Amino acid sequence: MRDDGVNDAQSWFLRLSALLRDLRRSEITLHIFHLARFDLQIEEDILVRDNINDGNYKPVVVENFRLEIGQLSLFPYVLSGLFCICRPRKVTPQWLGKGTWTDERKQKEAGEFFGKFTKMIENGNREIWRDLEGCTFEGLNEIRLEWQPFEVTKLSETEFTEFRIQMKWSDQD
């Protein structure tokens, strides 16, 4: 693990991993703003090796993880890095952008997010995803103020404008 003050994405994830391990006995909510407009260089294999295999660290349970993203195309790199070091139970995406977002635009972005998320799980590093038992896509029913599951293929038929992914991991403490 690098600890030489270098400020690259790889080192940032390793420092975050150490912080999360120190907080392991707490209920953790993690909120990350990702505003980068350039490609991140994150080597999943190195994070897995340094954090999980050689480091013998079990990924830390994070109760709530909120990701505010500016570039949807870059988010898989951020999530892959995070899933090397933590096991979020709830992932809530929010989109940053200029102007007012219509409900239709929120649904369109959520559909793209969920599609990319599903592909990331199916095609990603098996070392990261082997403990994932399942995930459920949920929308907030604003009348009942409760989260309800839905099928991504039927997203446009819903009234939801707030979304999250509920995840179940076999290795959660």
Side-chain angles (χ1 to χ4, degrees):
M1 176 195 312
R2 293 177 72 163
D3 195 21
D4 55 7
V6 173
N7 230 356
D8 63 0
Q10 198 78 20
S11 296
W12 183 85
F13 279 107
L14 293 172
R15 289 191 304 270
L16 178 61
S17 175
L19 176 63
L20 290 174
R21 285 193 310 274
D22 288 345
L23 296 171
R24 179 179 292 279
R25 303 228 182 277
S26 304
E27 184 175 301
I28 300 170
T29 295
L30 185 59
H31 190 156
I32 294 182
F33 294 89
H34 179 251
L35 300 174
R37 290 191 167 95
F38 52 86
D39 287 337
L40 295 172
Q41 298 301 317
I42 300 169
E43 299 292 333
E44 290 175 11
D45 293 336
I46 293 172
L47 282 177
V48 167
R49 183 197 69 213
D50 288 355
N51 192 60
I52 299 171
N53 295 339
D54 291 345
N56 288 322
Y57 299 120
K58 200 172 159 184
V60 177
V61 172
V62 170
E63 189 63 35
N64 295 293
F65 169 57
R66 179 175 296 274
L67 175 63
E68 295 199 34
I69 49 181
Q71 294 278 338
L72 184 62
S73 62
L74 298 179
F75 97 89
Y77 302 107
V78 175
L79 287 183
S80 292
L82 283 165
F83 288 132
C84 289
I85 62 176
C86 70
R87 296 291 185 248
R89 289 189 173 139
K90 298 174 196 101
V91 177
T92 306
Q94 280 192 320
W95 294 272
L96 303 172
K98 296 179 180 172
T100 305
W101 283 56
T102 64
D103 291 349
E104 293 80 19
R105 183 172 176 197
K106 287 180 186 177
Q107 285 189 340
K108 178 183 177 290
E109 292 290 331
E112 287 181 34
F113 177 84
F114 294 144
K116 285 181 181 268
F117 190 88
T118 302
K119 284 181 185 175
M120 186 176 63
I121 293 170
E122 293 169 355
N123 302 324
N125 184 324
R126 295 304 331 146
E127 191 78 19
I128 297 170
W129 299 106
R130 69 175 179 216
D131 298 318
L132 181 64
E133 292 182 348
C135 61
T136 305
F137 301 105
E138 298 178 327
L140 179 63
N141 180 324
E142 294 179 354
I143 295 170
R144 292 183 173 173
L145 295 177
E146 66 183 15
W147 292 95
Q148 298 177 334
F150 67 88
E151 293 180 39
V152 175
T153 57
K154 297 182 179 179
L155 179 61
S156 62
E157 300 170 19
T158 71
E159 298 286 323
F160 303 133
T161 58
E162 299 293 324
F163 308 95
R164 75 177 184 191
I165 302 169
Q166 183 90 9
M167 303 181 79
K168 178 155 177 47
W169 301 90
S170 64
D171 67 347
Q172 288 186 343
D173 297 339

